[in-house]
Amino acid sequence: MSVAFVVLTVIAAAMTAFSAVSVFLRAAWVVKPIADYGIPAGWLPWLGAAKAAGAVGLLAGLAVPVIGVIAGVGLVLYFAGAVVTVVRARWFAHVGFPLLYAAPVVAVLALS
C-alpha cells in the first residue's frame, strides 16, 4: 500500500464526510440547491447516510481492501447520480460540485 494511496483515501473520506455532515446539519448552502434540483427534504437523511457510509467504507478499505472498493464504487455511483440530477434540473453551473467530490474517490479506485 503506497503512501499516495493512503493519503488520497483519507482525503476522499474526509471530503465525503464533510459533505455528509453538511447535509446532516442542513447547511443552507447545501439544502437550498438540493431543493432547487427538486429533491424532497425527506431524502436528506438518506443522502447524508449514504455519504457517511461511503466515507467510513473508504477508511475501512485501508484494512480490508474489498470494503474500500465497494464503498468507492458506491460513492462514484452516488456522485454520478448527483451529476445527472443537477443536469436534469438544468443547473449546469453546479455540475462541478459533485465532480469535485467524486474526483478523489475515482483516484482512490484507480490506485487500488
Side-chain angles (χ1 to χ4, degrees):
M1 187 175 317
S2 72
V3 172
F5 175 74
V6 173
V7 169
L8 206 50
T9 300
V10 171
I11 289 170
M15 287 176 65
T16 304
F18 170 77
S19 183
V21 169
S22 298
V23 170
F24 288 139
L25 295 178
R26 298 191 182 243
W29 55 272
V30 173
V31 175
K32 169 117 175 56
I34 288 176
D36 291 342
Y37 305 149
I39 305 299
W43 287 21
L44 289 174
W46 298 106
L47 296 174
K51 291 180 195 181
V56 170
L58 286 176
L59 293 176
L62 292 173
V64 183
V66 71
I67 293 174
V69 170
I70 292 168
V73 169
L75 285 171
V76 167
L77 291 173
Y78 176 93
F79 291 122
V83 168
V84 169
T85 300
V86 171
V87 169
R88 288 186 66 199
R90 299 177 127 5
W91 283 73
F92 303 113
H94 291 193
V95 170
F97 296 117
L99 293 176
L100 176 71
Y101 286 99
V105 177
V106 170
V108 166
L109 286 173
L111 290 176
S112 64

